[in-house]
Amino acid sequence: MLTSRLIKKNSIYRGDSMTNRDLIIRLRQDQILDREEFRQILKGLCPEDEEFLYENAREVREVSYGKDVYTRGLIEFSNYCVRNCLYCGIRAGNPDCERYRLTEDQIQECAETGYDLGFRTFVLQGGEDPFFDDDKFCRIIKRIKDSFPDCAVTMSVGEKSRKSYEAFFDAGADRYLLRHETISPDHYRILHPHGQSIESRKKCLYELKDIGYQVGVGIMIGSPGQTEDHIINDLLFMKEFQPQMVGMGPFIPHEQTPFRDKRAGKLQDVLHILAIVRLMLPEVLLPATTALGTLFPTGRELGIKAGANVVMPNLSPKGVRAKYALYDGKICTGEEAAECIGCLTNRINSTGYHINAARGDCAGFLIKYFVY
Ligand code: SAH
């Protein structure tokens, strides 16, 4: 029964079970696997299969994006947060977090510095800080878009009402990052306090999509309580949701959170899952995250070589960088923005890819947007 199903599904079937290589080829071909097949790949790959996975991921990303790596200038405008996510260093319940918020002028200055350095996407990211109401956000977005109409603005400001999302969109915001963190309710409850739910996160994501944003979902790899089943659920959710962006990095503990003694995610796991997502969603914008660079010195380079095509250097003023501490040991807190982009350019060049200063929209999204 199982055998005939496999034969029907795939011409490369051989023997009783699919080899990892077969599964990688099939994933590339069909852009999906079933649960047990994902499980087999997630269980671990020998070095040859691992390299084969990365090679396929690179080939697939090059079809849509060539050798280009897009940059996003991250502006961490506030570390005040009303939420209490157990993994996060800026959670409301961390009394030792030294809080800051940037003024509207400071945020604009970050964008100006970034524009001069070649950035054409600005990401406004922060804790959920009620000080920034819809009017303030809309003013900030409009000011950036008026000054730099050739730039994209990405919001990463958490769960809001549909009305707020619409207001930001009308003010000119183009993209929205809202990692779902985990699609499995049992796991969501391990990571978040009572009162936060995956249902409300999902509602936000579908609203954002419906409004017309390019939407980013994502997970932390190796977060406390995460099992293979949870990761498979997340992969299947990503396939169903069809996001334009997927943000994934390792979980890294923060000493002032309840997860201070938990283990960080593993480099290999992050790289495997990046490559799997690339094969599953060929056109997705996939960052090699700062957390990956924090976990391992050349983590971002390895991420690019596993199929990632975005980097997000920091544009926040030097004085506040270390205060936006979601996890311990965050890199790039001591340099000016110009130094950061210089360092990152060299790092990307070392991978055989190069930075492309364009806005870097999701390949599939533009076509859909204009054709339909
Ligand atoms: N308030 C916004 C932005 C959150 S910060 C929002 O809710 O979307 C961006 C991401 O950092 C989070 O979505 C989370 O996945 C990640 N993050 C938070 N704490 C982390 C940790 N300890 N290790 C790794 N990543 C973490």
Side-chain angles (χ1 to χ4, degrees), residues 87-88 125-128 156 158 177-179 181 201 220 250-252 324 326-327:
Y87 43 83
C88 185
Q125 186 177 96
E128 293 197 20
S156 178
L177 298 178
L178 186 72
R179 291 190 182 178
E181 313 297 358
R201 201 100 179 150
M220 289 174 291
F251 159 75
I252 300 176
Y324 195 80
L326 310 179
Y327 46 82

Side-chain angles (χ1 to χ4, degrees), residues 22-317:
D22 292 340
L23 288 178
I24 293 165
I25 294 170
R26 256 259 316 288
L27 176 57
R28 177 172 177 172
Q29 203 173 279
D30 298 353
Q31 298 169 16
I32 190 70
L33 294 176
D34 68 28
R35 293 191 74 88
E36 292 316 310
E37 294 163 344
F38 272 133
R39 194 186 310 281
Q40 183 178 325
I41 298 199
L42 289 172
K43 282 243 180 279
L45 299 171
C46 69
E48 291 76 32
D49 290 348
E50 196 174 34
E51 191 40 47
F52 185 68
L53 173 66
Y54 301 153
E55 236 172 64
N56 275 276
R58 287 196 295 271
E59 282 172 21
V60 164
R61 71 88 88 191
E62 286 175 28
V63 172
S64 303
Y65 297 106
K67 297 275 186 189
D68 295 342
V69 175
Y70 298 126
T71 54
R72 282 61 167 105
L74 192 60
I75 304 174
E76 297 154 338
F77 63 88
S78 170
N79 70 353
Y80 283 87
C81 192
V82 296
R83 303 250 176 207
N84 224 354
C85 309
L86 277 80
Y87 43 83
C88 185
I90 66 169
R91 63 201 299 266
N94 178 6
D96 297 323
C97 173
E98 202 184 316
R99 306 285 167 176
Y100 75 91
R101 44 172 85 90
L102 301 183
T103 64
E104 292 180 34
D105 284 343
Q106 281 177 311
I107 295 172
Q108 179 67 15
E109 279 160 27
C110 290
E112 282 164 10
T113 307
Y115 192 87
D116 290 341
L117 290 171
F119 288 96
R120 295 297 177 266
T121 291
F122 301 111
V123 181
L124 292 172
Q125 186 177 96
E128 293 197 20
D129 179 359
F131 175 82
F132 287 89
D133 57 19
D134 289 0
D135 288 346
K136 275 206 189 65
F137 274 135
C138 288
R139 251 194 333 263
I140 293 165
I141 296 164
K142 276 200 190 102
R143 193 163 162 200
I144 296 177
K145 294 292 282 196
D146 284 349
S147 314
F148 310 114
D150 53 334
C151 290
V153 169
T154 303
M155 302 298 282
S156 178
V157 299
E159 293 180 36
K160 303 266 172 195
S161 66
R162 184 177 179 120
K163 201 166 136 275
S164 302
Y165 290 150
E166 281 169 349
F168 305 159
F169 191 76
D170 293 342
D174 302 272
R175 310 185 190 131
Y176 205 106
L177 298 178
L178 186 72
R179 291 190 182 178
H180 62 288
E181 313 297 358
T182 172
I183 206 64
S184 312
D186 60 325
H187 189 215
Y188 202 91
R189 282 193 293 271
I190 294 176
L191 299 181
H192 300 96
H194 188 71
Q196 290 180 229
S197 74
I198 184 59
E199 283 72 32
S200 105
R201 201 100 179 150
K202 248 163 90 175
K203 178 169 176 280
C204 290
L205 286 168
Y206 281 102
E207 284 173 352
L208 288 163
K209 200 161 194 221
D210 191 50
I211 291 166
Y213 284 97
Q214 293 177 57
V215 181
V217 301
I219 59 172
M220 289 174 291
I221 308 220
S223 60
Q226 186 181 54
T227 63
E228 242 162 50
D229 269 308
H230 294 141
I231 294 176
I232 296 168
N233 292 345
D234 288 319
L235 292 172
L236 296 174
F237 167 69
M238 288 175 202
K239 187 67 190 176
E240 177 197 315
F241 186 76
Q242 294 281 315
Q244 282 74 36
M245 305 170 279
V246 173
M248 295 189 299
F251 159 75
I252 300 176
H254 185 291
E255 61 175 357
Q256 293 157 355
T257 65
F259 290 161
R260 64 181 66 84
D261 296 325
K262 303 289 180 192
R263 266 197 309 265
K266 294 201 187 85
L267 175 70
Q268 229 80 14
D269 290 343
V270 179
L271 298 175
H272 288 176
I273 296 170
L274 281 172
I276 289 171
V277 169
R278 168 60 65 206
L279 294 181
M280 203 174 68
L281 301 167
E283 292 179 332
V284 83
L285 294 163
L286 196 61
T289 58
T290 305
L292 188 52
T294 299
L295 184 73
F296 190 73
T298 54
R300 285 170 300 179
E301 292 90 316
L302 295 173
I304 297 293
K305 290 198 223 165
N309 66 333
V310 171
V311 285
M312 300 174 71
N314 207 310
L315 283 180
S316 313

